Amino acid sequence: MSSPDRLVSPLADSGDVAETSPALRPTRLDEFVGQAQLKARLSIAIEAAKGRTEPMEHLLLHGPPGLGKTTIAHIVAEEMGTRAYVTSGPALTKGADLVGTLTRMQPGDVLLIDEIHRLPAAVEEYIYPAMEDFKIDFTLDGGMHARVVTYRLKPFTLIGATTRAGLLTAALRSRFGIAHRLEFYSTEELGQILTRAAKQLDLQFAEDEARQLIAARSRGTPRICLRLLRRVRDFAEVRGGGPITVEAASEALALEGVDAQGLDPLDRAYIRVLADVYDNGPAGLEAIAATLGEDAGTLEDVVEPFLLQIGLLARTRQGRRLTSAITEMDGTNPAGPLFEESGPSTSDS
């Protein structure tokens, strides 16, 4: 099972219409749930910038996917009364791609570059003078006849978003005035997001426990939370014929393979392989990936972060290993009943 097929993958997919719906996306800081420290920092920065009639400082957001980086960029633009432009590092293959966007922007506009760590070096060179001096230098002709033409840009705010802050060059990182790591959301915060989404979608929870059940299985990620809500809504409409109950939510998520800890079949298969084949570890990532028949990058980027977050997995110099939390959660056997539903045994894989 590859990451795009996973219901609990934090990566965006084409089916996330609920998340990208303008009705569901908060547009103001006071509507945004969670990330209290970031909200406080942004509130001060935005108010100060508006008082000086300047664009807000360049902002670097880093952390796991699905936590609201794009939403924050739109909020900053809305609070500043300007427009947000969204692009990504892989989409900017040459300098002209970036220049075309920058020259269209009006004073105070916001440019979000997602996956900014994947910017080509040639494009990154254009960003430095644009961020510092709001200008771009073009080199025309070559050799003895080469000349540099400077194009002045309107002052703007660049928001860089990345899941791999360590891959940013020091030169690029130093040019951001504000840098902040987004944290996973608490169950209570996800419950508030569900309450707002249900109101916008005209849904009703028959019991408060139903909302809490969905929030508890959302892996601390709003994108997953809204995705699970859509699945539960569909199940409740077809099988329940009414408001969302605890029973409907539980049956819908069980049908999707999402258990009480928010683990899905790939998570459980990973744990079972590490427990059964490698005796709880330590084991190398490549070895685990080969046994599972999965890509090592997929496991590292979309499986391991949550297992590390909830304390089931540890990374050591010798490799990956399961922690004692597994036995506490599942009795004495790390590969016990909790993980039997994940599919065929490792001896068959």
Side-chain angles (χ1 to χ4, degrees), residues 54-58 102 105-109 126-137 150-158:
E54 297 176 355
M56 197 189 80
E57 282 191 278
H58 302 304
L102 291 176
M105 295 173 64
Q106 298 303 307
D109 280 354
Y126 277 95
I127 284 185
Y128 297 156
M131 292 177 70
E132 289 187 323
D133 303 317
F134 303 116
K135 68 177 185 178
I136 298 177
D137 295 326
T150 299
Y151 186 93
R152 293 291 175 181
L153 302 172
K154 299 178 178 68
F156 69 97
T157 297
L158 175 65

PDB file of all heavy atoms in Angstrom, residues 54-58 102 105-109 126-137 150-158:
ATOM      1  N   GLU A  54       4.063  48.299   5.803  1.00  0.00           N
ATOM      2  CA  GLU A  54       5.080  47.476   5.161  1.00  0.00           C
ATOM      3  C   GLU A  54       4.569  46.048   5.040  1.00  0.00           C
ATOM      4  O   GLU A  54       3.622  45.660   5.737  1.00  0.00           O
ATOM      5  CB  GLU A  54       6.368  47.465   6.000  1.00  0.00           C
ATOM      6  CG  GLU A  54       7.042  48.811   6.159  1.00  0.00           C
ATOM      7  CD  GLU A  54       8.242  48.729   7.083  1.00  0.00           C
ATOM      8  OE1 GLU A  54       8.468  47.630   7.655  1.00  0.00           O
ATOM      9  OE2 GLU A  54       8.943  49.743   7.253  1.00  0.00           O
ATOM     10  N   PRO A  55       5.174  45.245   4.162  1.00  0.00           N
ATOM     11  CA  PRO A  55       4.823  43.823   4.138  1.00  0.00           C
ATOM     12  C   PRO A  55       5.339  43.130   5.391  1.00  0.00           C
ATOM     13  O   PRO A  55       6.303  43.596   6.019  1.00  0.00           O
ATOM     14  CB  PRO A  55       5.539  43.298   2.884  1.00  0.00           C
ATOM     15  CG  PRO A  55       6.674  44.244   2.673  1.00  0.00           C
ATOM     16  CD  PRO A  55       6.179  45.593   3.136  1.00  0.00           C
ATOM     17  N   MET A  56       4.681  42.069   5.783  1.00  0.00           N
ATOM     18  CA  MET A  56       5.157  41.323   6.947  1.00  0.00           C
ATOM     19  C   MET A  56       6.496  40.673   6.628  1.00  0.00           C
ATOM     20  O   MET A  56       6.823  40.419   5.468  1.00  0.00           O
ATOM     21  CB  MET A  56       4.139  40.238   7.328  1.00  0.00           C
ATOM     22  CG  MET A  56       4.318  39.675   8.725  1.00  0.00           C
ATOM     23  SD  MET A  56       3.279  38.225   9.033  1.00  0.00           S
ATOM     24  CE  MET A  56       4.262  36.938   8.232  1.00  0.00           C
ATOM     25  N   GLU A  57       7.271  40.392   7.672  1.00  0.00           N
ATOM     26  CA  GLU A  57       8.556  39.726   7.475  1.00  0.00           C
ATOM     27  C   GLU A  57       8.370  38.375   6.804  1.00  0.00           C
ATOM     28  O   GLU A  57       7.322  37.740   6.940  1.00  0.00           O
ATOM     29  CB  GLU A  57       9.253  39.519   8.826  1.00  0.00           C
ATOM     30  CG  GLU A  57       9.928  40.743   9.388  1.00  0.00           C
ATOM     31  CD  GLU A  57      10.812  40.385  10.578  1.00  0.00           C
ATOM     32  OE1 GLU A  57      10.262  40.264  11.686  1.00  0.00           O
ATOM     33  OE2 GLU A  57      12.039  40.231  10.392  1.00  0.00           O
ATOM     34  N   HIS A  58       9.412  37.924   6.099  1.00  0.00           N
ATOM     35  CA  HIS A  58       9.365  36.606   5.468  1.00  0.00           C
ATOM     36  C   HIS A  58       9.261  35.529   6.553  1.00  0.00           C
ATOM     37  O   HIS A  58       9.885  35.628   7.623  1.00  0.00           O
ATOM     38  CB  HIS A  58      10.626  36.384   4.628  1.00  0.00           C
ATOM     39  CG  HIS A  58      10.809  37.434   3.558  1.00  0.00           C
ATOM     40  ND1 HIS A  58       9.855  37.703   2.611  1.00  0.00           N
ATOM     41  CD2 HIS A  58      11.856  38.269   3.295  1.00  0.00           C
ATOM     42  CE1 HIS A  58      10.293  38.656   1.801  1.00  0.00           C
ATOM     43  NE2 HIS A  58      11.500  39.019   2.202  1.00  0.00           N
ATOM     44  N   LEU A 102       6.728  36.725  -9.388  1.00  0.00           N
ATOM     45  CA  LEU A 102       7.137  37.894  -8.603  1.00  0.00           C
ATOM     46  C   LEU A 102       6.776  39.211  -9.285  1.00  0.00           C
ATOM     47  O   LEU A 102       6.411  40.188  -8.620  1.00  0.00           O
ATOM     48  CB  LEU A 102       8.642  37.840  -8.333  1.00  0.00           C
ATOM     49  CG  LEU A 102       9.133  36.748  -7.377  1.00  0.00           C
ATOM     50  CD1 LEU A 102      10.653  36.762  -7.295  1.00  0.00           C
ATOM     51  CD2 LEU A 102       8.519  36.925  -5.992  1.00  0.00           C
ATOM     52  N   MET A 105       3.080  40.324  -8.732  1.00  0.00           N
ATOM     53  CA  MET A 105       2.608  40.589  -7.378  1.00  0.00           C
ATOM     54  C   MET A 105       2.556  42.086  -7.069  1.00  0.00           C
ATOM     55  O   MET A 105       3.393  42.857  -7.532  1.00  0.00           O
ATOM     56  CB  MET A 105       3.509  39.871  -6.373  1.00  0.00           C
ATOM     57  CG  MET A 105       3.429  38.352  -6.481  1.00  0.00           C
ATOM     58  SD  MET A 105       4.631  37.486  -5.444  1.00  0.00           S
ATOM     59  CE  MET A 105       4.074  37.971  -3.818  1.00  0.00           C
ATOM     60  N   GLN A 106       1.531  42.445  -6.288  1.00  0.00           N
ATOM     61  CA  GLN A 106       1.334  43.821  -5.871  1.00  0.00           C
ATOM     62  C   GLN A 106       1.929  44.033  -4.477  1.00  0.00           C
ATOM     63  O   GLN A 106       2.249  43.070  -3.776  1.00  0.00           O
ATOM     64  CB  GLN A 106      -0.161  44.160  -5.879  1.00  0.00           C
ATOM     65  CG  GLN A 106      -0.812  44.058  -7.243  1.00  0.00           C
ATOM     66  CD  GLN A 106      -0.143  44.946  -8.267  1.00  0.00           C
ATOM     67  OE1 GLN A 106       0.026  46.160  -8.034  1.00  0.00           O
ATOM     68  NE2 GLN A 106       0.248  44.382  -9.403  1.00  0.00           N
ATOM     69  N   PRO A 107       2.094  45.276  -4.036  1.00  0.00           N
ATOM     70  CA  PRO A 107       2.697  45.530  -2.726  1.00  0.00           C
ATOM     71  C   PRO A 107       1.979  44.790  -1.591  1.00  0.00           C
ATOM     72  O   PRO A 107       0.759  44.841  -1.483  1.00  0.00           O
ATOM     73  CB  PRO A 107       2.555  47.052  -2.566  1.00  0.00           C
ATOM     74  CG  PRO A 107       2.517  47.567  -3.955  1.00  0.00           C
ATOM     75  CD  PRO A 107       1.801  46.535  -4.760  1.00  0.00           C
ATOM     76  N   GLY A 108       2.760  44.088  -0.769  1.00  0.00           N
ATOM     77  CA  GLY A 108       2.206  43.378   0.380  1.00  0.00           C
ATOM     78  C   GLY A 108       1.669  42.000   0.086  1.00  0.00           C
ATOM     79  O   GLY A 108       1.237  41.296   1.008  1.00  0.00           O
ATOM     80  N   ASP A 109       1.667  41.580  -1.181  1.00  0.00           N
ATOM     81  CA  ASP A 109       1.170  40.250  -1.510  1.00  0.00           C
ATOM     82  C   ASP A 109       2.036  39.167  -0.869  1.00  0.00           C
ATOM     83  O   ASP A 109       3.200  39.399  -0.516  1.00  0.00           O
ATOM     84  CB  ASP A 109       1.134  40.043  -3.031  1.00  0.00           C
ATOM     85  CG  ASP A 109      -0.098  40.681  -3.669  1.00  0.00           C
ATOM     86  OD1 ASP A 109      -0.961  41.171  -2.915  1.00  0.00           O
ATOM     87  OD2 ASP A 109      -0.186  40.693  -4.911  1.00  0.00           O
ATOM     88  N   TYR A 126      17.947  33.444  -7.461  1.00  0.00           N
ATOM     89  CA  TYR A 126      17.077  34.577  -7.747  1.00  0.00           C
ATOM     90  C   TYR A 126      16.360  35.060  -6.486  1.00  0.00           C
ATOM     91  O   TYR A 126      16.003  36.236  -6.371  1.00  0.00           O
ATOM     92  CB  TYR A 126      16.019  34.187  -8.795  1.00  0.00           C
ATOM     93  CG  TYR A 126      16.499  34.267 -10.219  1.00  0.00           C
ATOM     94  CD1 TYR A 126      16.983  33.147 -10.871  1.00  0.00           C
ATOM     95  CD2 TYR A 126      16.456  35.468 -10.919  1.00  0.00           C
ATOM     96  CE1 TYR A 126      17.427  33.201 -12.180  1.00  0.00           C
ATOM     97  CE2 TYR A 126      16.886  35.545 -12.241  1.00  0.00           C
ATOM     98  CZ  TYR A 126      17.367  34.406 -12.861  1.00  0.00           C
ATOM     99  OH  TYR A 126      17.806  34.483 -14.159  1.00  0.00           O
ATOM    100  N   ILE A 127      16.119  34.146  -5.550  1.00  0.00           N
ATOM    101  CA  ILE A 127      15.325  34.481  -4.371  1.00  0.00           C
ATOM    102  C   ILE A 127      16.076  35.415  -3.425  1.00  0.00           C
ATOM    103  O   ILE A 127      15.480  36.286  -2.789  1.00  0.00           O
ATOM    104  CB  ILE A 127      14.893  33.188  -3.631  1.00  0.00           C
ATOM    105  CG1 ILE A 127      13.764  32.521  -4.404  1.00  0.00           C
ATOM    106  CG2 ILE A 127      14.443  33.477  -2.210  1.00  0.00           C
ATOM    107  CD1 ILE A 127      13.184  31.316  -3.726  1.00  0.00           C
ATOM    108  N   TYR A 128      17.389  35.240  -3.315  1.00  0.00           N
ATOM    109  CA  TYR A 128      18.160  36.020  -2.344  1.00  0.00           C
ATOM    110  C   TYR A 128      17.965  37.529  -2.508  1.00  0.00           C
ATOM    111  O   TYR A 128      17.546  38.209  -1.560  1.00  0.00           O
ATOM    112  CB  TYR A 128      19.641  35.672  -2.428  1.00  0.00           C
ATOM    113  CG  TYR A 128      19.957  34.223  -2.089  1.00  0.00           C
ATOM    114  CD1 TYR A 128      21.100  33.614  -2.570  1.00  0.00           C
ATOM    115  CD2 TYR A 128      19.108  33.476  -1.290  1.00  0.00           C
ATOM    116  CE1 TYR A 128      21.399  32.289  -2.270  1.00  0.00           C
ATOM    117  CE2 TYR A 128      19.394  32.151  -0.983  1.00  0.00           C
ATOM    118  CZ  TYR A 128      20.539  31.564  -1.474  1.00  0.00           C
ATOM    119  OH  TYR A 128      20.821  30.263  -1.163  1.00  0.00           O
ATOM    120  N   PRO A 129      18.255  38.110  -3.676  1.00  0.00           N
ATOM    121  CA  PRO A 129      18.050  39.571  -3.808  1.00  0.00           C
ATOM    122  C   PRO A 129      16.573  39.954  -3.760  1.00  0.00           C
ATOM    123  O   PRO A 129      16.237  41.059  -3.331  1.00  0.00           O
ATOM    124  CB  PRO A 129      18.670  39.903  -5.171  1.00  0.00           C
ATOM    125  CG  PRO A 129      18.649  38.613  -5.927  1.00  0.00           C
ATOM    126  CD  PRO A 129      18.838  37.532  -4.910  1.00  0.00           C
ATOM    127  N   ALA A 130      15.699  39.040  -4.186  1.00  0.00           N
ATOM    128  CA  ALA A 130      14.266  39.341  -4.151  1.00  0.00           C
ATOM    129  C   ALA A 130      13.789  39.489  -2.712  1.00  0.00           C
ATOM    130  O   ALA A 130      13.002  40.388  -2.394  1.00  0.00           O
ATOM    131  CB  ALA A 130      13.482  38.248  -4.863  1.00  0.00           C
ATOM    132  N   MET A 131      14.277  38.622  -1.809  1.00  0.00           N
ATOM    133  CA  MET A 131      13.871  38.675  -0.408  1.00  0.00           C
ATOM    134  C   MET A 131      14.496  39.858   0.314  1.00  0.00           C
ATOM    135  O   MET A 131      13.846  40.514   1.139  1.00  0.00           O
ATOM    136  CB  MET A 131      14.248  37.371   0.300  1.00  0.00           C
ATOM    137  CG  MET A 131      13.476  36.146  -0.165  1.00  0.00           C
ATOM    138  SD  MET A 131      14.036  34.625   0.654  1.00  0.00           S
ATOM    139  CE  MET A 131      13.443  34.881   2.332  1.00  0.00           C
ATOM    140  N   GLU A 132      15.737  40.128   0.028  1.00  0.00           N
ATOM    141  CA  GLU A 132      16.469  41.162   0.779  1.00  0.00           C
ATOM    142  C   GLU A 132      16.213  42.572   0.262  1.00  0.00           C
ATOM    143  O   GLU A 132      15.975  43.493   1.045  1.00  0.00           O
ATOM    144  CB  GLU A 132      17.969  40.871   0.741  1.00  0.00           C
ATOM    145  CG  GLU A 132      18.389  39.668   1.569  1.00  0.00           C
ATOM    146  CD  GLU A 132      19.904  39.547   1.615  1.00  0.00           C
ATOM    147  OE1 GLU A 132      20.557  39.828   0.592  1.00  0.00           O
ATOM    148  OE2 GLU A 132      20.436  39.176   2.671  1.00  0.00           O
ATOM    149  N   ASP A 133      16.271  42.737  -1.043  1.00  0.00           N
ATOM    150  CA  ASP A 133      16.231  44.088  -1.627  1.00  0.00           C
ATOM    151  C   ASP A 133      15.048  44.291  -2.568  1.00  0.00           C
ATOM    152  O   ASP A 133      14.942  45.351  -3.194  1.00  0.00           O
ATOM    153  CB  ASP A 133      17.527  44.371  -2.397  1.00  0.00           C
ATOM    154  CG  ASP A 133      18.755  44.207  -1.519  1.00  0.00           C
ATOM    155  OD1 ASP A 133      18.712  44.677  -0.362  1.00  0.00           O
ATOM    156  OD2 ASP A 133      19.737  43.597  -1.975  1.00  0.00           O
ATOM    157  N   PHE A 134      14.184  43.269  -2.710  1.00  0.00           N
ATOM    158  CA  PHE A 134      13.034  43.335  -3.611  1.00  0.00           C
ATOM    159  C   PHE A 134      13.467  43.718  -5.028  1.00  0.00           C
ATOM    160  O   PHE A 134      12.960  44.682  -5.629  1.00  0.00           O
ATOM    161  CB  PHE A 134      11.974  44.316  -3.088  1.00  0.00           C
ATOM    162  CG  PHE A 134      11.483  43.978  -1.707  1.00  0.00           C
ATOM    163  CD1 PHE A 134      11.708  44.842  -0.655  1.00  0.00           C
ATOM    164  CD2 PHE A 134      10.818  42.779  -1.461  1.00  0.00           C
ATOM    165  CE1 PHE A 134      11.261  44.527   0.632  1.00  0.00           C
ATOM    166  CE2 PHE A 134      10.374  42.461  -0.180  1.00  0.00           C
ATOM    167  CZ  PHE A 134      10.588  43.325   0.861  1.00  0.00           C
ATOM    168  N   LYS A 135      14.426  42.960  -5.527  1.00  0.00           N
ATOM    169  CA  LYS A 135      14.879  43.178  -6.891  1.00  0.00           C
ATOM    170  C   LYS A 135      15.360  41.852  -7.480  1.00  0.00           C
ATOM    171  O   LYS A 135      15.640  40.896  -6.758  1.00  0.00           O
ATOM    172  CB  LYS A 135      16.013  44.204  -6.942  1.00  0.00           C
ATOM    173  CG  LYS A 135      17.306  43.710  -6.302  1.00  0.00           C
ATOM    174  CD  LYS A 135      18.427  44.740  -6.440  1.00  0.00           C
ATOM    175  CE  LYS A 135      19.753  44.176  -5.899  1.00  0.00           C
ATOM    176  NZ  LYS A 135      20.864  45.139  -6.052  1.00  0.00           N
ATOM    177  N   ILE A 136      15.407  41.809  -8.805  1.00  0.00           N
ATOM    178  CA  ILE A 136      15.920  40.640  -9.511  1.00  0.00           C
ATOM    179  C   ILE A 136      16.933  41.126 -10.534  1.00  0.00           C
ATOM    180  O   ILE A 136      16.683  42.101 -11.262  1.00  0.00           O
ATOM    181  CB  ILE A 136      14.793  39.862 -10.228  1.00  0.00           C
ATOM    182  CG1 ILE A 136      13.773  39.330  -9.223  1.00  0.00           C
ATOM    183  CG2 ILE A 136      15.360  38.684 -11.013  1.00  0.00           C
ATOM    184  CD1 ILE A 136      12.610  38.632  -9.871  1.00  0.00           C
ATOM    185  N   ASP A 137      18.062  40.448 -10.580  1.00  0.00           N
ATOM    186  CA  ASP A 137      19.103  40.805 -11.546  1.00  0.00           C
ATOM    187  C   ASP A 137      19.092  39.815 -12.708  1.00  0.00           C
ATOM    188  O   ASP A 137      19.221  38.601 -12.508  1.00  0.00           O
ATOM    189  CB  ASP A 137      20.485  40.810 -10.884  1.00  0.00           C
ATOM    190  CG  ASP A 137      20.600  41.882  -9.820  1.00  0.00           C
ATOM    191  OD1 ASP A 137      19.992  42.953  -9.998  1.00  0.00           O
ATOM    192  OD2 ASP A 137      21.285  41.640  -8.806  1.00  0.00           O
ATOM    193  N   THR A 150      18.689  45.165 -13.764  1.00  0.00           N
ATOM    194  CA  THR A 150      18.002  45.008 -12.483  1.00  0.00           C
ATOM    195  C   THR A 150      16.529  45.384 -12.626  1.00  0.00           C
ATOM    196  O   THR A 150      16.201  46.456 -13.145  1.00  0.00           O
ATOM    197  CB  THR A 150      18.640  45.889 -11.394  1.00  0.00           C
ATOM    198  OG1 THR A 150      20.003  45.496 -11.218  1.00  0.00           O
ATOM    199  CG2 THR A 150      17.899  45.736 -10.078  1.00  0.00           C
ATOM    200  N   TYR A 151      15.673  44.474 -12.168  1.00  0.00           N
ATOM    201  CA  TYR A 151      14.221  44.718 -12.200  1.00  0.00           C
ATOM    202  C   TYR A 151      13.730  44.887 -10.767  1.00  0.00           C
ATOM    203  O   TYR A 151      13.938  44.001  -9.929  1.00  0.00           O
ATOM    204  CB  TYR A 151      13.494  43.551 -12.876  1.00  0.00           C
ATOM    205  CG  TYR A 151      12.017  43.793 -13.087  1.00  0.00           C
ATOM    206  CD1 TYR A 151      11.543  44.324 -14.273  1.00  0.00           C
ATOM    207  CD2 TYR A 151      11.092  43.503 -12.084  1.00  0.00           C
ATOM    208  CE1 TYR A 151      10.184  44.562 -14.475  1.00  0.00           C
ATOM    209  CE2 TYR A 151       9.743  43.735 -12.270  1.00  0.00           C
ATOM    210  CZ  TYR A 151       9.293  44.271 -13.468  1.00  0.00           C
ATOM    211  OH  TYR A 151       7.960  44.516 -13.650  1.00  0.00           O
ATOM    212  N   ARG A 152      13.112  45.997 -10.471  1.00  0.00           N
ATOM    213  CA  ARG A 152      12.622  46.267  -9.133  1.00  0.00           C
ATOM    214  C   ARG A 152      11.265  45.603  -8.905  1.00  0.00           C
ATOM    215  O   ARG A 152      10.364  45.700  -9.749  1.00  0.00           O
ATOM    216  CB  ARG A 152      12.485  47.778  -8.910  1.00  0.00           C
ATOM    217  CG  ARG A 152      13.814  48.507  -8.892  1.00  0.00           C
ATOM    218  CD  ARG A 152      14.615  48.150  -7.647  1.00  0.00           C
ATOM    219  NE  ARG A 152      15.952  48.747  -7.674  1.00  0.00           N
ATOM    220  CZ  ARG A 152      16.842  48.562  -6.718  1.00  0.00           C
ATOM    221  NH1 ARG A 152      16.553  47.804  -5.681  1.00  0.00           N
ATOM    222  NH2 ARG A 152      18.031  49.127  -6.815  1.00  0.00           N
ATOM    223  N   LEU A 153      11.145  44.943  -7.758  1.00  0.00           N
ATOM    224  CA  LEU A 153       9.898  44.272  -7.400  1.00  0.00           C
ATOM    225  C   LEU A 153       9.135  45.095  -6.378  1.00  0.00           C
ATOM    226  O   LEU A 153       9.721  45.895  -5.644  1.00  0.00           O
ATOM    227  CB  LEU A 153      10.184  42.892  -6.804  1.00  0.00           C
ATOM    228  CG  LEU A 153      10.961  41.912  -7.666  1.00  0.00           C
ATOM    229  CD1 LEU A 153      11.331  40.677  -6.834  1.00  0.00           C
ATOM    230  CD2 LEU A 153      10.150  41.497  -8.889  1.00  0.00           C
ATOM    231  N   LYS A 154       7.837  44.868  -6.321  1.00  0.00           N
ATOM    232  CA  LYS A 154       7.034  45.485  -5.276  1.00  0.00           C
ATOM    233  C   LYS A 154       7.249  44.700  -3.983  1.00  0.00           C
ATOM    234  O   LYS A 154       7.372  43.477  -4.014  1.00  0.00           O
ATOM    235  CB  LYS A 154       5.574  45.499  -5.682  1.00  0.00           C
ATOM    236  CG  LYS A 154       5.301  46.289  -6.964  1.00  0.00           C
ATOM    237  CD  LYS A 154       3.841  46.228  -7.340  1.00  0.00           C
ATOM    238  CE  LYS A 154       3.580  47.063  -8.594  1.00  0.00           C
ATOM    239  NZ  LYS A 154       4.204  46.486  -9.779  1.00  0.00           N
ATOM    240  N   PRO A 155       7.346  45.363  -2.845  1.00  0.00           N
ATOM    241  CA  PRO A 155       7.594  44.663  -1.574  1.00  0.00           C
ATOM    242  C   PRO A 155       6.554  43.566  -1.328  1.00  0.00           C
ATOM    243  O   PRO A 155       5.349  43.791  -1.486  1.00  0.00           O
ATOM    244  CB  PRO A 155       7.483  45.781  -0.529  1.00  0.00           C
ATOM    245  CG  PRO A 155       7.804  47.029  -1.286  1.00  0.00           C
ATOM    246  CD  PRO A 155       7.248  46.825  -2.654  1.00  0.00           C
ATOM    247  N   PHE A 156       7.022  42.388  -0.949  1.00  0.00           N
ATOM    248  CA  PHE A 156       6.129  41.240  -0.762  1.00  0.00           C
ATOM    249  C   PHE A 156       6.604  40.430   0.442  1.00  0.00           C
ATOM    250  O   PHE A 156       7.668  40.685   1.018  1.00  0.00           O
ATOM    251  CB  PHE A 156       6.120  40.361  -2.016  1.00  0.00           C
ATOM    252  CG  PHE A 156       7.421  39.640  -2.258  1.00  0.00           C
ATOM    253  CD1 PHE A 156       7.601  38.323  -1.844  1.00  0.00           C
ATOM    254  CD2 PHE A 156       8.485  40.286  -2.899  1.00  0.00           C
ATOM    255  CE1 PHE A 156       8.808  37.671  -2.062  1.00  0.00           C
ATOM    256  CE2 PHE A 156       9.689  39.634  -3.110  1.00  0.00           C
ATOM    257  CZ  PHE A 156       9.858  38.329  -2.691  1.00  0.00           C
ATOM    258  N   THR A 157       5.803  39.458   0.826  1.00  0.00           N
ATOM    259  CA  THR A 157       6.158  38.535   1.903  1.00  0.00           C
ATOM    260  C   THR A 157       6.289  37.133   1.331  1.00  0.00           C
ATOM    261  O   THR A 157       5.360  36.640   0.683  1.00  0.00           O
ATOM    262  CB  THR A 157       5.083  38.526   3.015  1.00  0.00           C
ATOM    263  OG1 THR A 157       5.013  39.817   3.612  1.00  0.00           O
ATOM    264  CG2 THR A 157       5.417  37.493   4.083  1.00  0.00           C
ATOM    265  N   LEU A 158       7.432  36.505   1.553  1.00  0.00           N
ATOM    266  CA  LEU A 158       7.629  35.123   1.133  1.00  0.00           C
ATOM    267  C   LEU A 158       7.398  34.208   2.333  1.00  0.00           C
ATOM    268  O   LEU A 158       7.973  34.403   3.407  1.00  0.00           O
ATOM    269  CB  LEU A 158       9.049  34.915   0.600  1.00  0.00           C
ATOM    270  CG  LEU A 158       9.409  33.468   0.234  1.00  0.00           C
ATOM    271  CD1 LEU A 158       8.560  32.985  -0.936  1.00  0.00           C
ATOM    272  CD2 LEU A 158      10.890  33.326  -0.102  1.00  0.00           C
TER     273      LEU A 158
END
